[in-house]
Amino acid sequence: MSHLNISSNKAELDVPAIHHFLSTQSTWAIGIPLATVQRAIDHSLCFGGTLDGRQVAFARVVSDYATFAYLVDVYVLEEYRSRGYSRRLMEAVVAHPDLQGLRRFMLATSTAHGLYTDYGFTPPLRPEALMERYVPDIYQR
């Protein structure tokens, strides 16, 4: 297995590749404009996973770096799955020094509950306390 290099240096991100995956292959951001992806990256802590110079994994965290964080846009390209790369990516995320001591670290997922459970994520203890404004088709308008 090749070694997945994970970096939080935004200069090393392949933004067109991230946009391509999110806008055409993700289940949550189909049709997202490149400018929106760039703005989201600009205002987030990002983790890019590369193999031999090719970006094959990505995760983004939106946080105040003091009390709260939200993990989003996590993916490993399909042809690189089942090699432990999602675990390596999550290890880097939860170990990042700016994300320690947070009161709440959230995410939303429909497919990878087992992965995230291994890193301390659970269903909300008080789901009745959580609310959202959700517009699932915003990029198709």
Side-chain angles (χ1 to χ4, degrees):
M1 177 169 69
S2 298
H3 177 72
L4 182 70
N5 180 48
I6 299 173
S7 173
S8 59
N9 181 347
K10 290 180 191 176
E12 296 177 15
L13 294 175
D14 184 343
V15 176
I18 295 166
H19 172 252
H20 176 75
F21 179 87
L22 293 175
S23 66
T24 66
Q25 298 172 47
S26 74
T27 58
W28 61 92
I30 296 297
I32 190 170
L34 176 59
T36 302
V37 171
Q38 184 64 64
R39 190 168 70 230
I41 287 170
D42 290 346
H43 296 282
S44 302
L45 175 60
C46 299
F47 298 82
T50 58
L51 285 172
D52 302 320
R54 179 179 184 206
Q55 182 156 346
V56 302
F58 180 72
R60 186 169 68 82
V61 178
V62 181
S63 182
D64 63 6
Y65 303 112
T67 64
F68 177 82
Y70 187 59
L71 177 63
V72 293
D73 294 342
V74 180
Y75 72 83
V76 174
L77 294 179
E78 187 171 356
E79 61 266 34
Y80 294 94
R81 294 178 188 162
S82 299
R83 300 182 191 185
Y85 296 148
S86 60
R87 293 195 177 283
R88 288 262 305 114
L89 188 59
M90 285 304 300
E91 288 165 8
V93 169
V94 298
H96 194 279
D98 290 344
L99 300 176
Q100 304 309 303
L102 300 173
R103 181 170 181 259
R104 179 168 283 142
F105 200 157
M106 298 181 71
L107 64 85
T109 184
S110 61
T111 60
H113 293 86
L115 170 68
Y116 299 117
T117 298
D118 289 347
Y119 295 93
F121 290 88
T122 64
L125 294 177
R126 296 181 50 227
E128 70 280 2
L130 299 176
M131 297 180 73
E132 69 179 353
R133 287 180 58 190
Y134 181 52
V135 185
D137 62 345
I138 194 166
Y139 307 123
Q140 280 78 51
R141 294 179 181 186

